Amino acid sequence: MITELSIPVADIIRKQREFFQTGKTKDVAFRIAQLKILKQAILENEQEIVQALKADLNKAEFEAYATEILVTKEIDYAIKHIKDWTKAQKAAVPIEFFQYSAKIYSEPLGVVLIIGPWNYPFNLIIAPLVGAIAAGNCTFLKPSELAPHTSNFLAGMIPKYFDPAYIAVVEGGVETSQNLLAEKFDYIFFTGGTSVGRIVMEAAAKHLTPVTLELGGKSPCIVDTEINLEHTVKRITWGKFINAGQTCIAPDYILVDKKIKTNLIEGLKKTIKEFYGDNPASSPDYARIISQKHFDRLANLLKNGEFVIGGETNREERYIAPTVVDNISWEDAIMQEEIFGPILPIIEYSDITEAIALINSRPKPLALYLFSQNKNLQKRILQETSSGGVCLNDTVMHCGVSSLPFGGVGDSGIGSYHGKASFDTFSHRKSVLKNSFLLDLKWRYAPYEGKLAFLKRLLG
Ligand code: NAD
């Protein structure tokens, strides 16, 4: 494990720069080999990963595999496509450039920094790392201190498989993060909250370092009347309460058509019992809140509205039952910030135009969900709202499709990743134009006399 106490960060960065300068990471065969090693490292340590996630979040083994270890699919996808991605792309040239040829080369940026959050503490470090490796960079990883077991595991695992001059892990909290941010990196990939995102961007600006900010926000879930109710309640319950609601793209709140509200609430109640039993505290499949601080923040949000189901808490165990809350107003505290926990407020609407206006009056969310078979409504929501991504008739699943770029817009983030988007994020697209010596037309050279008419003809 490397901490800033044992080897100064600046020294590791220097070593990484030296390694990058050797050009080794530019070799596509090297990148593929490293991606294979990364996959191997994950497969050889599955049980350790499961245990670390259990210790940090009481994550069920099933969820550990489904949402963290299966990040290996991103590795497979990168290995499958990397030869295409790294090929120089031909670009068209206008007729006036008939003797030129144009190409776009994707080149690595150099030494990049990845700062991760605690909610999917393994996946959200490894998934961007896949992009950084595929694009040919050296990487610094800073996992979240709030998931200490996973952070510690990563700090132990990575050096067993990779030289720190290529991939290094630095453990620590805010201070470590800020010390890292004071250094010059060639790219910063940050996943976390919006307010810390601002701090990261400010620090990056000092070095003119480009950033990806994968942030959060309140992702609305609209439920129309034209649905299959049984499927709807299952998909919402799953997306909201997986990882005890600590998912950046969990449906934050429900906006439901007044006509179907009672049925939806009854369905959610029934499904929550089906998934987690009468006492979710004893369900092996239900996670815990990451820290006492986050528990207290969430407990405070429970002061609004009327519980339809849930509401039970246990501070010592950082347990909050899957909770659905009715009679919530837009002014309540729970509607002012991202919930990021297992509390689901229900707000009814009688006019979808008003519901859309309310969504649009707030910061742009990371995800937006619509349950409706009505094609016109689907079209309207897509046209009239803006969000990082949209999933129709489901929740959360869109982040599992590698061909879909994943990221926010406005307050929910800058940039995107997954699949090719990860490769592009960690690459510079270098435009290259090539002339030939066959001809040398004089129209652009001084003296300009008599040449303007030709130029004006180009205006069309
Ligand atoms: P956070 O912003 O508190 O912390 C993220 C990282 O930033 C950690 O590694 C932490 O050590 C570091 N950090 C914290 N304070 C810092 C500071 N002042 N200066 C520099 N670095 C600092 O976020 P979190 O609580 O770990 O995660 C929750 C947030 O992340 C939620 O808002 C959630 O929506 C968002 N999130 C987004 C995505 C996404 O893909 N867009 C995924 C997961 C989580």
Side-chain angles (χ1 to χ4, degrees):
M1 173 179 85
I2 294 164
T3 69
E4 54 193 324
L5 297 176
S6 56
I7 308 177
V9 160
D11 283 357
I12 314 169
I13 296 177
R14 190 176 38 74
K15 286 206 172 95
Q16 291 205 347
R17 289 209 179 285
E18 282 166 15
F19 183 63
F20 183 72
Q21 287 308 328
T22 65
K24 219 171 161 185
T25 66
K26 292 189 177 169
D27 177 2
V28 177
F30 172 84
R31 302 185 203 181
I32 293 172
Q34 304 310 307
L35 288 168
K36 287 184 176 164
I37 292 172
L38 182 62
K39 182 169 177 185
Q40 192 59 28
I42 296 172
L43 297 181
E44 283 173 7
N45 290 279
E46 283 169 49
Q47 273 320 302
E48 286 81 352
I49 300 167
V50 168
Q51 279 159 19
L53 294 166
K54 177 92 186 156
D56 284 330
L57 286 145
N58 193 41
K59 213 170 264 212
E61 187 167 0
F62 179 87
E63 285 189 17
Y65 271 89
T67 64
E68 307 250 22
I69 295 172
L70 270 173
V71 71
T72 52
K73 290 282 153 218
E74 273 285 309
I75 303 178
D76 295 340
Y77 192 85
I79 291 173
K80 185 167 172 209
H81 296 281
I82 192 167
K83 287 201 174 128
D84 274 346
W85 297 342
T86 47
K87 260 191 213 134
Q89 282 172 2
K90 267 198 173 159
V93 291
I95 186 80
E96 309 82 81
F97 284 66
F98 66 91
Q99 66 179 42
Y100 293 80
S101 62
K103 277 189 181 169
I104 304 163
Y105 290 79
S106 287
E107 63 177 22
L109 297 166
V111 176
V112 303
L113 171 64
I114 295 171
I115 301 179
W118 50 261
N119 59 337
Y120 292 91
F122 185 73
N123 184 329
L124 297 177
I125 283 285
I126 300 295
L129 175 62
V130 173
I133 294 176
N137 298 280
C138 295
T139 310
F140 248 84
L141 303 170
K142 210 299 276 171
S144 172
E145 72 283 12
L146 292 186
H149 296 89
T150 311
S151 170
N152 207 254
F153 164 74
L154 282 164
M157 178 193 92
I158 292 288
K160 283 191 198 143
Y161 295 85
F162 301 100
D163 186 333
Y166 175 48
I167 302 173
V169 183
V170 183
E171 283 198 276
V174 175
E175 208 185 313
T176 306
S177 200
Q178 288 180 342
N179 288 343
L180 279 168
L181 288 170
E183 300 288 339
K184 160 107 181 138
F185 286 93
D186 298 302
Y187 201 87
I188 299 174
F189 188 103
F190 170 81
T191 307
T194 303
S195 56
V196 182
R198 284 197 184 92
I199 297 172
V200 170
M201 196 162 171
E202 214 178 306
K206 293 206 175 91
H207 296 292
L208 274 184
T209 301
V211 292
T212 289
L213 302 178
E214 292 284 340
L215 310 177
K218 288 184 87 60
S219 299
C221 177
I222 304 169
V223 183
D224 175 43
T225 50
E226 290 183 47
I227 51 167
N228 174 318
L229 185 68
E230 199 191 329
H231 294 176
T232 300
V233 290
K234 285 212 163 83
R235 294 170 194 178
I236 293 175
T237 303
W238 174 76
K240 178 69 188 186
F241 299 109
I242 191 168
N243 205 29
Q246 301 164 112
T247 303
C248 56
I249 46 169
D252 188 273
Y253 61 95
I254 287 184
L255 273 171
V256 59
D257 187 309
K258 199 174 169 179
K259 297 193 272 302
I260 204 169
K261 182 178 159 189
T262 312
N263 293 347
L264 181 81
I265 286 179
E266 282 316 305
L268 288 170
K269 265 162 82 171
K270 188 169 153 259
T271 313
I272 289 171
K273 285 198 174 166
E274 224 173 275
F275 282 13
Y276 303 110
D278 284 331
N279 179 20
S282 56
S283 162
D285 300 330
Y286 190 64
R288 294 296 181 268
I289 306 306
I290 187 75
S291 68
Q292 301 274 331
K293 188 176 145 216
H294 279 275
F295 173 92
D296 291 341
R297 180 185 65 78
L298 287 163
N300 208 35
L301 297 182
L302 286 172
K303 288 178 184 151
N304 294 130
E306 181 189 307
F307 300 141
V308 166
I309 187 165
E312 302 84 14
T313 63
N314 180 335
R315 190 172 191 274
E316 235 161 69
E317 288 184 20
R318 296 181 298 132
Y319 166 77
I320 297 182
T323 301
V324 178
V325 203
D326 194 7
N327 291 328
I328 287 291
S329 91
W330 288 86
E331 283 69 43
D332 288 334
I334 199 166
M335 293 307 290
Q336 304 306 314
E337 60 179 89
E338 178 184 7
I339 298 170
F340 215 56
I343 312 170
L344 182 61
I346 311 253
I347 298 184
E348 63 179 43
Y349 68 84
S350 40
D351 176 0
I352 190 67
T353 305
E354 274 173 27
I356 293 173
L358 280 162
I359 292 171
N360 289 341
S361 69
R362 302 184 150 232
K364 292 178 181 178
L366 185 56
L368 187 144
Y369 302 111
L370 168 67
F371 285 85
S372 178
Q373 297 187 75
N374 180 329
K375 291 228 165 66
N376 286 332
L377 182 59
Q378 292 178 358
K379 207 165 140 191
R380 219 186 133 185
I381 296 294
L382 290 181
Q383 268 178 355
E384 295 181 22
T385 65
S386 177
S387 56
V390 171
C391 195
L392 299 173
N393 298 324
D394 210 330
T395 65
V396 177
M397 293 302 284
H398 60 299
C399 81
V401 179
S402 295
S403 56
L404 286 176
F406 179 81
V409 57
D411 285 22
S412 56
I414 295 173
S416 61
Y417 74 133
H418 288 183
K420 170 83 161 46
S422 294
F423 175 82
D424 289 341
T425 288
F426 288 104
S427 299
H428 166 58
R429 282 162 61 77
K430 184 163 74 180
S431 293
V432 177
L433 183 70
K434 185 157 88 178
N435 199 350
S436 80
F437 290 116
L438 280 177
L439 287 169
D440 195 37
L441 302 178
K442 306 282 183 280
W443 62 268
R444 63 183 157 144
Y445 300 142
Y448 298 131
E449 200 189 340
K451 294 176 179 170
L452 188 60
F454 168 74
L455 205 58
K456 283 188 172 172
R457 274 207 303 279
L458 290 183
L459 288 174

